[in-house]
Amino acid sequence: MTITLTADDRTIQAREGSSVLSACLLAGIYIPHLCWLEADAPADAPAACRLCFVEIDGFREPVAACAVTVENGMTIRTGTEAVRSLQKTALKLLLSVHRVDCKHCPANKACQLQNIAKFLGTGLACKPFERVLKEPEVDSRHPVWDYYPNRCVLCGICVRVCPQHHPHSLLSFARRGFETVVGYFDVDPVAAADCVSCRACLESCPTGALVQRTAGKG
Ligand code: SF4
Ligand code: SF4
């Protein structure tokens, strides 16, 4: 069933059960986001990046658009001052744990973080937050690709796309809090051979955190 709602003074249509983020993006209304996949249902939305804030009539405060289901007659505003302020803070927090070295990054010019920083007009600085980075800079335990924790925004997309291509997921989050990283369960040669032909995680990563070593990038 199709639902009608208003976003930024435009009347748009959305599929019943879809998220506000999905409805706006599919209608050509951009909302900054890093962790969303089109297949995500609002109930399963990770709401990890905290970038997709919007204001919705009837809600006391801005909400993550990925986690709210569309309703008939809903009125959404995606670019208010409060929304932009929250998005800028969320981006700066992400950048406070990020090694910004675009010149040497394989994602340069194709990076979602760069695009969002440009959209919000903030650049890639993290002020007033202090920048804190993880050690080591690169995890090379996987036979095929390298993982750069200081380029990872912990969006979880790689973790969610992996089981769509394998009988079981080879990836998972490991550790907690600031130390959280993407880890992998299975690095035997059979799994590695699968990874060479699959590349789903590398191709869906919004930054340069996963780099195929055999391609000589990084
Ligand atoms: S992941 Fe993006 S923002 Fe970070 S260094 Fe690479 S290109 Fe720059
Ligand atoms: S490696 Fe890439 S896709 Fe995976 S969590 Fe980090 S930024 Fe997201």
Side-chain angles (χ1 to χ4, degrees):
M1 189 175 138
T2 302
I3 281 184
T4 302
L5 51 156
T6 306
D8 295 345
D9 298 324
R10 269 183 56 197
T11 300
I12 64 170
Q13 312 284 321
R15 203 166 21 89
E16 188 179 33
S18 62
S19 69
V20 167
L21 178 60
S22 174
C24 289
L25 292 175
L26 293 175
I29 298 171
Y30 178 67
I31 297 171
H33 63 278
L34 283 167
C35 62
W36 173 81
L37 287 172
E38 194 173 335
D40 287 336
D44 306 326
C49 67
R50 311 305 295 171
L51 280 164
C52 69
F53 280 110
V54 294
E55 289 194 62
I56 303 177
D57 280 4
F59 287 70
R60 279 188 20 226
E61 292 173 350
V63 286
C66 65
V68 179
T69 306
V70 288
E71 282 177 24
N72 219 18
M74 207 174 224
T75 299
I76 300 152
R77 284 173 299 282
T78 72
T80 65
E81 208 174 305
V83 160
R84 291 289 180 251
S85 172
L86 286 165
Q87 290 169 337
K88 285 176 188 175
T89 301
L91 179 64
K92 285 178 183 186
L93 281 169
L94 286 170
L95 290 167
S96 72
V97 291
H98 195 89
R99 166 82 68 200
V100 180
D101 182 15
C102 303
K103 257 195 216 165
H104 298 103
C105 178
N108 192 19
K109 301 199 167 123
C111 170
Q112 293 299 324
L113 264 187
Q114 289 177 320
N115 293 344
I116 292 167
K118 192 171 173 196
F119 178 81
L120 293 176
T122 59
L124 292 166
C126 64
K127 281 180 188 166
F129 302 108
E130 186 191 350
R131 187 161 273 142
V132 185
L133 299 175
K134 291 174 185 149
E135 294 283 348
E137 282 283 335
V138 55
D139 179 343
S140 299
R141 284 175 298 157
H142 192 280
V144 174
W145 42 253
D146 293 327
Y147 170 66
Y148 290 77
N150 293 317
R151 292 179 189 155
C152 175
V153 291
L154 299 174
C155 66
I157 286 178
C158 57
V159 175
R160 283 179 285 149
V161 299
C162 183
Q164 294 169 9
H165 299 266
H166 299 272
H168 62 283
S169 181
L170 305 177
L171 302 174
S172 162
F173 284 126
R175 306 198 212 127
R176 293 179 155 214
F178 169 74
E179 295 297 332
T180 305
V181 289
V182 171
Y184 27 84
F185 301 126
D186 195 344
V187 291
D188 69 38
V190 176
D194 259 9
C195 294
V196 171
S197 57
C198 174
R199 294 179 51 88
C201 58
L202 278 81
E203 281 163 13
S204 55
C205 177
T207 68
L210 294 173
V211 181
Q212 188 163 345
R213 196 177 310 121
T214 48
K217 292 192 290 178

